[in-house]
């Protein structure tokens, strides 16, 4: 018989929690979509899966009201839901898929936090990186697109000189950041908090 791993149970618990949240509040972070089904595979996207609770990672970075948060590949806005528990001045998200973006806008309306803004754009072309200094990435794309993102975040640090934090979950291409001078602030398994200051 096949051995069931802790990761499998963690995944099932996440699914149950998100289904319950939807039943109780109509906030919808549910579902798993491939990049092909979303029609965004050409951009180098991996697909949609909502993040696990990122509060423990955000606590490690000690954000203040002078910091602003951007989820790169924000899906339905799950990371913003958790980030709103912190003092960030802005809690924004960029999502390429119109289908997911539309759900994220509905979710934001239910949540009702005026600091949340959504953009339906490609994060490789997005031109507002300098407005943020906390970036969240949950394995949104393959290497070429991630290389472009890492360079954009590095350029925003060079322009603003603000402490810059990248929370990169399932950090398949973390070396792209390390090669640009980012240091590891914390890591747990394959999740990394990277920093420039
Ligand atoms: C694994 S999901 C994470 C969703 C969200 N960050 C969360 O944690 O719940 C990755 C998301 O990145 C989006 N994405 C991939 N490439 C993108 C791009 N070039 N520009 C904007 N969004 C992109 C996908 O559509 C998908 O919703």
């Amino acid at each position: 018989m096949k051995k069931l791993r802790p990761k499998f149970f963690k995944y099932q618990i996440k699914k149950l929690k998100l289904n319950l949240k939807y039943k109780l509040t109509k906030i919808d972070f549910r579902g798993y979509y491939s990049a092909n089904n979303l029609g965004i595979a050409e951009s180098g996207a991996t697909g949609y899966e909502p993040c696990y609770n990122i509060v423990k990672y955000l606590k490690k970075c000690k954000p203040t009201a002078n910091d602003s948060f951007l989820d790169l590949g924000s899906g339905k806005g799950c990371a913003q839901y958790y980030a709103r528990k912190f003092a960030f001045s802005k809690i924004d998200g960029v999502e390429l898929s119109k289908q997911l973006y539309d759900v994220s806008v509905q979710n934001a309306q239910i949540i009702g936090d005026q600091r949340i803004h959504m953009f339906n754009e490609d994060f490789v072309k997005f031109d507002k990186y300098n407005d943020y200094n906390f970036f969240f990435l949950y394995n949104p794309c393959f290497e070429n697109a991630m290389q472009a993102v890492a360079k954009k975040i590095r350029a925003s640090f060079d322009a603003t000189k603000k402490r810059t934090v990248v929370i990169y979950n399932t950090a398949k291409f973390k070396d792209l950041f390390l090669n640009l001078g980012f240091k590891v602030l914390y890591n747990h398994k394959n999740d990394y908090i990277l920093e420039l200051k």
Side-chain angles (χ1 to χ4, degrees):
M1 203 174 83
K2 222 176 163 188
K3 218 173 148 188
L4 295 176
R5 296 189 187 156
K7 211 172 160 188
F8 172 83
F9 289 110
K10 206 179 158 195
Y11 169 87
Q12 293 302 327
I13 290 166
K14 174 164 89 163
K15 231 167 112 176
L16 282 173
K17 279 187 181 167
L18 294 179
N19 282 335
L20 188 63
K21 184 184 295 302
Y22 179 70
K23 280 216 168 99
L24 297 176
T25 66
K26 294 288 172 235
I27 296 173
D28 178 11
F29 299 134
R30 300 165 306 159
Y32 300 82
Y33 306 73
S34 73
N36 273 330
N37 284 344
L38 291 168
I40 58 170
E42 270 184 22
S43 69
T46 51
Y48 172 74
E49 177 184 347
C51 64
Y52 291 89
N53 190 336
I54 58 164
V55 167
K56 65 178 178 189
Y57 292 149
L58 284 167
K59 275 185 185 162
K60 302 231 175 260
C61 318
K62 301 186 174 57
T64 71
N66 291 323
D67 297 312
S68 44
F69 177 93
L70 182 66
D71 183 7
L72 292 160
S74 45
K76 296 184 176 185
C78 188
Q80 290 157 278
Y81 178 82
Y82 294 120
R84 83 188 201 290
K85 298 179 187 206
F86 295 81
F88 292 117
S89 58
K90 286 198 276 199
I91 308 163
D92 297 356
V94 190
E95 172 54 49
L96 185 58
S97 154
K98 176 79 165 70
Q99 182 186 336
L100 297 176
Y101 162 82
D102 285 345
V103 178
S104 75
V105 170
Q106 280 171 20
N107 285 336
Q109 276 166 3
I110 300 171
I111 293 164
D113 188 320
Q114 299 307 311
R115 297 172 301 162
I116 296 179
H117 309 93
M118 305 292 184
F119 300 94
N120 182 205
E121 286 186 43
D122 182 339
F123 53 52
V124 172
K125 297 182 187 146
F126 189 67
D127 64 2
K128 296 182 184 66
Y129 280 71
N130 291 5
D131 294 352
Y132 306 91
N133 65 321
F134 271 63
F135 299 91
F136 179 63
L137 291 157
Y138 180 21
N139 186 28
C141 59
F142 294 105
E143 190 165 3
N144 285 352
M146 190 57 81
Q147 173 81 76
V149 167
K151 284 185 180 163
K152 281 192 159 239
I153 298 175
R154 172 75 221 202
S156 80
F157 170 76
D158 292 337
T160 64
K161 297 288 180 230
K162 272 191 97 167
R163 174 192 180 219
T164 295
V165 173
V166 175
I167 301 172
Y168 186 3
N169 277 27
T170 315
K172 290 191 175 154
F173 307 111
K174 68 174 185 308
D175 288 353
L176 298 175
F177 290 87
L178 298 178
N179 293 341
L180 291 172
F182 287 80
K183 302 283 178 245
V184 176
L185 178 69
Y186 175 81
N187 97 284
H188 173 70
K189 295 184 181 164
N190 207 15
D191 296 342
Y192 279 77
I193 303 177
L194 304 156
E195 185 181 42
L196 283 170
K197 61 181 179 183

